[in-house]
Amino acid sequence: MKFSQYPTNVPKLETIQTELGALIDLFAQAKTAKEAVEAVKKVQAYSDELGTDVTIINIRFSLDTNDKKISDANDYLDTIYPYISQLSNRFNKLLVESPFRAELEKVFGDYLFKMMETALKCFDDSIMELLASEAKLQTEYNRLISGAKIKFRGGIYNLSQMGKFTQDKDRATRKEAYKATTKFFAKNDEKLGQIYGDLVAIRDQMAKKLGFKNFVELGYLKLGRLDYTAADVKGYRDQIYREVVPFVNRLYKQIAKRAGISNPKIYDLNQSFADGNPTPKGDREYLVKQATKMYDEMSPETSEFFHFMVENELLDLDARAGKRGGGYMTYMPRYKAPFIFANFNGTQGDVDVLTHEVGHAFQGFQSRNISVPEYRMPTLESCEIHSMSMEFFAWPWMHLFFDQDKKYHLSHLEGAIKFLPYGVSVDEFQEWVYENPNVTHEERCAKWREIEKKYLPIRKYTGLNYLEKGTYWLRQGHIFTSPFYYIDYTLAQVLAFQFATEMFKNREKAWKKYVKLCKLGGRYPFVELLDHANLRNPFIEGNVKKVIVPLKKKLKELNEEFA
Ligand code: ZN
């Protein structure tokens, strides 16, 4: 069945309360372990169905935020989420307190029960209104950002479409494009500052109502971080500061020299070569054709999977007016189908989608037969390992997408390393924000600029006074809609580097290890999953250095081509 044929069913709250409520009652009344197991399976099947309907609406809304009918359906979902949480909260409570818990753990695994106990700590009826307000504000942010209409050289573009100009090889174009997008944020500064201030206040109130000191611990638990804490992450950020920041500073200088830029400004930092960054050889249709060839050659598993995606219209890749920005992968259990959303803009990023998001989707597909829904996908930092590693496994096929694949290899690896200091900045900022929930928008901006100077001293905003005030973070959507999530990309990057280094040595061995990881799905929390997959834990002091050192050698090797 093709995506366009999937029905759009708007779930009605009353129906859910009746139907799901009845299944939960069935579990509550179970007289034997066998009955209890059967009831749990029924609840899981129901939540797969409901989850599929919700996901289809979320996808269709992101594809066209101007469609009134789907937008209303999406708004309606925002209002009913808290009631659905209330129902699942009731079920979770019954589950962890079940007289048959020991037997249930044997069937479903004890990790499920740990997840439920965590979910219980994160919810109480008293925060329902706050949850609804939070969802509303997040939608408001997304709407404001995706509705951006930026005037540039006679055309009107959204933020994703502007990416092409901010990465243009002509410096004047980049500068002008940067000014144009910055103008949008400056114009909406008050509104954005207000939305974020409200979000922080709401999250802080929720945390306090649930008995936490502030939102930090709650934010971690909401992300299912069961085997590491904010203190571990702080230690990890310190490792990045010591081992990566000085190296990245040298790297930026080296790249600027290669690109023929003296005294680089913010709009120069994504330029890797004097004659421009590698750009894909063709449009969406061409790139998908090349990706099909690549995945056919890569392995039998990737071949089967990618044909499934293309034939069932599970990729929506072109940027369009009204379409939400960014990219994501999601999964619809009823159809055992992943879905990939992206905004192609003619840059190298388009190929990254065909490797990164496809990596996510590949894992979803590999885990499609895991029966416990909660075990199909791991926590988010683990999910990014699948995608970021696939970017490296795709290296040998980059000539299908770029005239100069060597250029791609070099700028991809440099880009991945350069990303780490930015990623930890976003995290350090958020930790400070939630530890100091009562500060003003201006104070938040000043703190951002201070953190930026610590991790990204290369960033200069000469001529862009608005950004000099410390406002770059306003364009980082995760800060608004997915608190504490961003560090996950950096953790996963450190893991993907391990796959890359192993791949350079022995591709077949590395690939087997990767497929094994994908098939493990979400059976374990992050640190435990790394143990099962035989990967280095980035929280252990010294491990970041161990991962970075072999890459320095690889970069030197790649650079020699361009000396
Ligand atoms: Zn991703």
Side-chain angles (χ1 to χ4, degrees):
M1 201 165 165
K2 294 179 194 306
F3 180 72
S4 56
Q5 298 165 325
Y6 292 5
T8 306
N9 303 323
V10 185
K12 290 271 165 302
L13 179 61
E14 299 75 40
T15 318
I16 300 167
Q17 283 173 326
T18 311
E19 293 175 352
L20 185 54
L23 296 177
I24 297 171
D25 289 342
L26 199 67
F27 176 73
Q29 291 149 12
K31 302 229 165 28
T32 63
K34 197 168 163 255
E35 280 177 28
V37 168
E38 287 314 308
V40 171
K41 285 184 179 166
K42 281 187 180 142
V43 171
Q44 288 173 339
Y46 190 89
S47 75
D48 268 352
E49 285 299 310
L50 178 62
T52 302
D53 286 337
V54 167
T55 304
I56 290 172
I57 291 169
N58 291 158
I59 294 173
R60 297 217 157 113
F61 175 61
S62 65
L63 294 177
D64 185 2
T65 55
N66 294 326
D67 181 325
K68 176 87 173 70
K69 223 173 129 192
I70 206 80
S71 164
D72 287 348
N74 198 71
D75 284 350
Y76 173 69
L77 291 181
D78 280 353
T79 64
I80 70 169
Y81 280 136
Y83 298 95
I84 299 176
S85 302
Q86 198 177 28
L87 276 168
S88 57
N89 189 59
R90 188 183 151 221
F91 178 64
N92 293 348
K93 217 176 202 154
L94 287 166
L95 199 64
V96 302
E97 288 165 3
S98 169
F100 308 112
R101 177 159 171 172
E103 291 95 326
L104 290 166
E105 282 191 6
K106 264 185 217 136
V107 178
F108 300 106
D110 63 338
Y111 178 35
L112 182 69
F113 291 80
K114 283 187 196 141
M115 282 186 202
M116 299 304 179
E117 278 163 352
T118 308
L120 286 171
K121 284 186 206 159
C122 298
F123 184 85
D124 185 83
D125 282 356
S126 64
I127 65 162
M128 279 179 60
E129 261 173 51
L130 292 168
L131 283 170
S133 312
E134 184 191 27
K136 219 171 171 179
L137 283 163
Q138 292 180 162
T139 302
E140 199 181 331
Y141 173 81
N142 285 334
R143 221 171 247 150
L144 183 63
I145 295 295
S146 61
K149 292 189 175 70
I150 294 162
K151 283 192 194 128
F152 183 72
R153 294 186 175 171
I156 292 176
Y157 305 93
N158 66 24
L159 286 164
S160 304
Q161 291 166 324
M162 284 303 290
K164 191 179 170 72
F165 304 114
T166 53
Q167 293 175 54
D168 197 279
K169 67 179 170 192
D170 173 54
R171 195 177 196 201
T173 303
R174 292 200 300 273
K175 187 176 175 184
E176 205 183 314
Y178 229 92
K179 280 201 159 159
T181 52
T182 300
K183 214 170 125 190
F184 167 81
F185 284 97
K187 211 181 100 202
N188 290 288
D189 180 78
E190 211 189 310
K191 183 85 211 133
L192 289 165
Q194 178 76 46
I195 292 176
Y196 192 60
D198 290 349
L199 279 168
V200 172
I202 284 170
R203 288 170 184 152
D204 187 60
Q205 282 175 52
M206 282 198 267
K208 286 178 177 146
K209 279 193 184 223
L210 292 169
F212 296 96
K213 189 175 97 202
N214 56 43
F215 183 71
V216 180
E217 196 186 340
L218 175 59
Y220 272 55
L221 291 180
K222 277 170 87 91
L223 288 168
R225 295 175 178 175
L226 298 188
D227 54 4
Y228 66 95
T229 65
D232 292 315
V233 172
K234 188 186 179 304
Y236 163 75
R237 288 197 308 256
D238 290 344
Q239 286 190 68
I240 298 287
Y241 181 67
R242 284 194 321 270
E243 305 301 336
V244 182
V245 170
F247 175 56
V248 166
N249 287 338
R250 286 197 303 277
L251 198 57
Y252 269 120
K253 283 186 187 128
Q254 197 183 335
I255 297 168
K257 203 174 147 204
R258 190 176 67 216
I261 298 164
S262 57
N263 197 10
K265 303 289 187 311
I266 179 78
Y267 45 82
D268 297 318
L269 297 182
N270 52 26
Q271 289 303 299
S272 303
F273 303 95
D275 56 348
N277 290 350
T279 48
K281 286 198 259 189
D283 60 4
R284 190 243 320 145
E285 202 178 328
Y286 175 85
L287 296 179
V288 171
K289 201 179 112 218
Q290 299 301 77
T292 308
K293 183 172 161 55
M294 169 173 78
Y295 288 117
D296 277 344
E297 289 174 11
M298 193 181 282
S299 73
E301 295 98 331
T302 47
S303 176
E304 181 203 3
F305 146 76
F306 200 69
H307 281 274
F308 175 84
M309 297 295 289
V310 173
E311 281 150 27
N312 295 302
E313 304 170 346
L314 296 164
L315 306 126
D316 194 293
L317 306 173
D318 288 324
R320 292 186 297 272
K323 186 170 165 179
R324 226 188 80 187
Y328 66 77
M329 188 290 285
T330 186
Y331 182 78
M332 293 161 282
R334 184 190 303 144
Y335 306 102
K336 296 192 176 188
F339 185 92
I340 293 175
F341 173 99
N343 279 280
F344 275 19
N345 61 5
T347 66
Q348 183 179 316
D350 298 356
V351 178
D352 298 338
V353 169
L354 288 170
T355 55
H356 181 101
E357 298 303 335
V358 169
H360 283 305
F362 179 68
Q363 183 271 322
F365 195 72
Q366 291 309 306
S367 298
R368 66 193 180 283
N369 294 321
I370 296 179
S371 59
V372 178
E374 287 83 357
Y375 293 166
R376 244 173 253 141
M377 219 169 274
T379 43
L380 300 169
E381 70 294 77
S382 303
C383 283
E384 292 306 322
I385 309 174
H386 314 130
S387 54
M388 290 174 152
S389 304
M390 184 64 99
E391 294 176 21
F392 287 105
F393 282 114
W395 269 32
W397 288 274
M398 284 301 115
H399 61 279
L400 297 175
F401 302 93
F402 301 104
D403 284 323
Q404 292 159 288
D405 55 336
K406 295 271 180 342
K407 258 184 161 186
Y408 174 85
H409 293 156
L410 180 58
S411 64
H412 175 229
L413 185 55
E414 283 173 344
I417 299 173
K418 283 193 305 192
F419 170 70
L420 297 175
Y422 176 68
V424 300
S425 304
V426 171
D427 187 68
E428 191 154 311
F429 175 66
Q430 295 187 80
E431 191 177 271
W432 181 84
V433 163
Y434 292 107
E435 277 174 354
N436 301 277
N438 300 318
V439 304
T440 63
H441 178 56
E442 286 67 32
E443 285 169 306
R444 285 190 190 114
C445 292
K447 186 68 189 182
W448 168 261
R449 193 69 191 106
E450 181 192 317
I451 292 171
E452 229 177 7
K453 282 177 179 163
K454 171 179 167 189
Y455 289 102
L456 301 152
I458 186 79
R459 286 197 172 187
K460 302 225 169 61
Y461 295 120
T462 328
L464 295 159
N465 291 338
Y466 175 67
L467 287 173
E468 181 56 39
K469 280 194 272 181
T471 56
Y472 189 92
W473 62 274
L474 292 169
R475 65 187 68 196
Q476 193 61 62
H478 305 72
I479 294 177
F480 288 75
T481 59
S482 316
F484 291 118
Y485 170 30
Y486 210 67
I487 194 76
D488 295 25
Y489 291 108
T490 78
L491 292 168
Q493 191 61 266
V494 171
L495 273 304
F497 285 154
Q498 297 178 48
F499 275 113
T501 300
E502 288 189 38
M503 179 191 91
F504 298 142
K505 277 192 224 144
N506 182 339
R507 182 178 171 94
E508 210 177 314
K509 205 173 143 205
W511 176 255
K512 274 196 185 135
K513 188 168 167 174
Y514 173 73
V515 175
K516 185 188 160 193
L517 176 76
C518 292
K519 284 188 194 290
L520 280 174
R523 287 194 171 94
Y524 308 101
F526 179 60
V527 175
E528 209 181 318
L529 187 69
L530 301 185
D531 282 344
H532 281 274
N534 202 12
L535 292 157
R536 280 185 208 282
N537 171 0
F539 299 128
I540 293 176
E541 177 64 38
N543 271 354
V544 169
K545 188 176 180 182
K546 279 183 193 145
V547 172
I548 295 297
V549 166
L551 298 178
K552 291 184 182 173
K553 214 179 109 206
K554 186 75 191 175
L555 273 182
K556 210 171 155 209
E557 215 179 284
L558 291 165
N559 242 310
E560 274 158 17
E561 298 260 346
F562 299 92

